[in-house]
Amino acid sequence: QLQASGGGLVQPGGSLRLSCAASRSIRRIDVMGWFRQAPGKQRELVAAIANGGSTNYADSAKGRFTISRDNAKNTVYLQMNSLKPEDTAVYYCNKPLDLRGTVVLGSWGQGTQVTVSS
């Protein structure tokens, strides 16, 4: 089970760090990812990270977001800087099949709401 947390209300230009805590070890999970779904839009991959450190970011996230993982803590993080109103969405973590994130292997949890507004 994956539990996302760390969302909230932030002003444009602000930062948030999301955490995804797994109930089991993630050492053998090759790829972990963050996804988001804005109202009226399809869920999309934001960022993914492989065990070896390779990453993939959505174009909208490049240069602003950083994904990382701590296998010892069974946690995946998403550091989000320079937030924009269009980043407003519910953010989820999951286990994509690969770094492209088009297929996921886990179930969707409740996610964490990120609202960027002045």
Side-chain angles (χ1 to χ4, degrees), residues 60-78:
S60 59
K62 289 178 181 176
R64 300 188 299 127
F65 295 2
T66 302
I67 188 171
S68 61
R69 62 190 290 170
D70 186 337
N71 287 349
K73 295 183 178 179
N74 299 324
T75 303
V76 182
Y77 303 97
L78 185 68

Side-chain angles (χ1 to χ4, degrees), residues 3-112:
Q3 181 65 50
S5 63
L9 173 63
V10 62
Q11 292 186 342
S15 299
L16 282 174
R17 188 175 84 151
L18 306 184
S19 297
C20 172
S23 57
R24 299 182 178 181
S25 174
I26 64 171
R27 290 182 185 277
R28 294 186 179 184
I29 301 176
D30 188 27
V31 181
M32 295 292 297
W34 282 97
F35 299 77
R36 69 185 181 187
Q37 187 168 22
K41 295 187 177 181
Q42 288 189 333
R43 189 149 32 201
E44 61 178 358
L45 175 73
V46 176
I49 183 168
N51 249 330
S54 298
T55 56
N56 180 39
Y57 292 91
D59 287 343
S60 59
K62 289 178 181 176
R64 300 188 299 127
F65 295 2
T66 302
I67 188 171
S68 61
R69 62 190 290 170
D70 186 337
N71 287 349
K73 295 183 178 179
N74 299 324
T75 303
V76 182
Y77 303 97
L78 185 68
Q79 177 67 43
M80 305 188 295
N81 300 327
S82 302
L83 283 162
K84 305 175 181 180
E86 50 264 44
D87 295 317
T88 295
V90 178
Y91 284 70
Y92 304 85
C93 55
N94 209 317
K95 301 175 287 185
L97 179 64
D98 54 36
L99 287 171
R100 294 173 299 174
T102 53
V103 176
V104 296
L105 304 177
S107 58
W108 295 105
Q110 289 188 335
T112 186

